[in-house]
mmCIF file of all heavy atoms in Angstrom:
data_model
loop_
_atom_site.group_PDB
_atom_site.id
_atom_site.type_symbol
_atom_site.label_atom_id
_atom_site.label_comp_id
_atom_site.label_asym_id
_atom_site.label_seq_id
_atom_site.Cartn_x
_atom_site.Cartn_y
_atom_site.Cartn_z
ATOM 1 N N ILE B 328 -74.435 -39.081 40.091
ATOM 2 C CA ILE B 328 -73.024 -38.670 40.107
ATOM 3 C C ILE B 328 -72.373 -39.007 41.443
ATOM 4 O O ILE B 328 -71.233 -39.486 41.500
ATOM 5 C CB ILE B 328 -72.924 -37.164 39.784
ATOM 6 C CG1 ILE B 328 -73.195 -36.987 38.295
ATOM 7 C CG2 ILE B 328 -71.573 -36.593 40.137
ATOM 8 C CD1 ILE B 328 -73.313 -35.559 37.855
ATOM 9 N N LEU B 329 -73.133 -38.781 42.522
ATOM 10 C CA LEU B 329 -72.578 -39.099 43.848
ATOM 11 C C LEU B 329 -72.361 -40.600 43.984
ATOM 12 O O LEU B 329 -71.323 -41.048 44.475
ATOM 13 C CB LEU B 329 -73.522 -38.607 44.947
ATOM 14 C CG LEU B 329 -73.463 -37.105 45.250
ATOM 15 C CD1 LEU B 329 -74.654 -36.684 46.101
ATOM 16 C CD2 LEU B 329 -72.158 -36.746 45.946
ATOM 17 N N SER B 330 -73.324 -41.394 43.508
ATOM 18 C CA SER B 330 -73.160 -42.847 43.678
ATOM 19 C C SER B 330 -72.072 -43.382 42.759
ATOM 20 O O SER B 330 -71.416 -44.361 43.063
ATOM 21 C CB SER B 330 -74.495 -43.579 43.465
ATOM 22 O OG SER B 330 -74.986 -43.248 42.208
ATOM 23 N N ALA B 331 -71.870 -42.717 41.619
ATOM 24 C CA ALA B 331 -70.798 -43.172 40.718
ATOM 25 C C ALA B 331 -69.434 -42.620 41.158
ATOM 26 O O ALA B 331 -68.404 -43.011 40.622
ATOM 27 C CB ALA B 331 -71.107 -42.708 39.294
ATOM 28 N N GLY B 332 -69.444 -41.682 42.127
ATOM 29 C CA GLY B 332 -68.175 -41.104 42.601
ATOM 30 C C GLY B 332 -67.479 -40.262 41.543
ATOM 31 O O GLY B 332 -66.252 -40.169 41.510
ATOM 32 N N GLU B 333 -68.248 -39.627 40.645
ATOM 33 C CA GLU B 333 -67.654 -38.785 39.585
ATOM 34 C C GLU B 333 -67.240 -37.441 40.175
ATOM 35 O O GLU B 333 -67.899 -36.420 39.970
ATOM 36 C CB GLU B 333 -68.673 -38.573 38.452
ATOM 37 C CG GLU B 333 -68.973 -39.797 37.652
ATOM 38 C CD GLU B 333 -67.888 -40.114 36.634
ATOM 39 O OE1 GLU B 333 -66.891 -39.376 36.588
ATOM 40 O OE2 GLU B 333 -68.035 -41.103 35.923
ATOM 41 N N ALA B 334 -66.158 -37.447 40.911
ATOM 42 C CA ALA B 334 -65.768 -36.251 41.680
ATOM 43 C C ALA B 334 -65.562 -35.024 40.808
ATOM 44 O O ALA B 334 -65.820 -33.907 41.229
ATOM 45 C CB ALA B 334 -64.503 -36.548 42.467
ATOM 46 N N SER B 335 -65.112 -35.227 39.563
ATOM 47 C CA SER B 335 -64.825 -34.069 38.716
ATOM 48 C C SER B 335 -66.101 -33.300 38.372
ATOM 49 O O SER B 335 -66.034 -32.155 37.915
ATOM 50 C CB SER B 335 -64.127 -34.520 37.438
ATOM 51 O OG SER B 335 -64.993 -35.360 36.715
ATOM 52 N N MET B 336 -67.260 -33.924 38.578
ATOM 53 C CA MET B 336 -68.511 -33.254 38.208
ATOM 54 C C MET B 336 -69.214 -32.628 39.412
ATOM 55 O O MET B 336 -70.237 -31.961 39.256
ATOM 56 C CB MET B 336 -69.455 -34.257 37.526
ATOM 57 C CG MET B 336 -68.857 -34.804 36.235
ATOM 58 S SD MET B 336 -69.872 -36.058 35.490
ATOM 59 C CE MET B 336 -71.163 -35.057 34.791
ATOM 60 N N TYR B 337 -68.675 -32.851 40.609
ATOM 61 C CA TYR B 337 -69.350 -32.321 41.803
ATOM 62 C C TYR B 337 -69.482 -30.800 41.759
ATOM 63 O O TYR B 337 -70.537 -30.246 42.044
ATOM 64 C CB TYR B 337 -68.585 -32.688 43.081
ATOM 65 C CG TYR B 337 -68.588 -34.156 43.445
ATOM 66 C CD1 TYR B 337 -67.740 -34.648 44.435
ATOM 67 C CD2 TYR B 337 -69.432 -35.051 42.805
ATOM 68 C CE1 TYR B 337 -67.722 -35.986 44.779
ATOM 69 C CE2 TYR B 337 -69.419 -36.405 43.138
ATOM 70 C CZ TYR B 337 -68.554 -36.862 44.125
ATOM 71 O OH TYR B 337 -68.538 -38.176 44.456
ATOM 72 N N GLY B 338 -68.357 -30.140 41.425
ATOM 73 C CA GLY B 338 -68.330 -28.670 41.494
ATOM 74 C C GLY B 338 -69.387 -28.046 40.592
ATOM 75 O O GLY B 338 -70.153 -27.174 41.013
ATOM 76 N N GLY B 339 -69.451 -28.520 39.332
ATOM 77 C CA GLY B 339 -70.401 -27.957 38.375
ATOM 78 C C GLY B 339 -71.835 -28.180 38.817
ATOM 79 O O GLY B 339 -72.684 -27.281 38.736
ATOM 80 N N LEU B 340 -72.086 -29.383 39.297
ATOM 81 C CA LEU B 340 -73.445 -29.716 39.731
ATOM 82 C C LEU B 340 -73.839 -28.890 40.964
ATOM 83 O O LEU B 340 -74.972 -28.431 41.095
ATOM 84 C CB LEU B 340 -73.501 -31.211 40.055
ATOM 85 C CG LEU B 340 -74.886 -31.819 40.040
ATOM 86 C CD1 LEU B 340 -75.552 -31.644 38.695
ATOM 87 C CD2 LEU B 340 -74.823 -33.296 40.374
ATOM 88 N N LEU B 341 -72.865 -28.712 41.813
ATOM 89 C CA LEU B 341 -73.110 -27.919 43.026
ATOM 90 C C LEU B 341 -73.517 -26.493 42.636
ATOM 91 O O LEU B 341 -74.464 -25.932 43.191
ATOM 92 C CB LEU B 341 -71.834 -27.887 43.871
ATOM 93 C CG LEU B 341 -71.939 -27.239 45.246
ATOM 94 C CD1 LEU B 341 -72.919 -27.979 46.126
ATOM 95 C CD2 LEU B 341 -70.567 -27.217 45.925
ATOM 96 N N GLU B 342 -72.833 -25.942 41.652
ATOM 97 C CA GLU B 342 -73.176 -24.585 41.204
ATOM 98 C C GLU B 342 -74.601 -24.527 40.673
ATOM 99 O O GLU B 342 -75.354 -23.599 40.962
ATOM 100 C CB GLU B 342 -72.199 -24.128 40.121
ATOM 101 C CG GLU B 342 -70.887 -23.655 40.694
ATOM 102 C CD GLU B 342 -70.003 -23.005 39.633
ATOM 103 O OE1 GLU B 342 -70.523 -22.620 38.579
ATOM 104 O OE2 GLU B 342 -68.786 -22.905 39.878
#
Side-chain angles (χ1 to χ4, degrees):
Chain B
I328 286 172
L329 282 166
S330 56
E333 291 282 1
S335 63
M336 298 176 76
Y337 292 168
L340 201 58
L341 187 62
E342 281 189 18

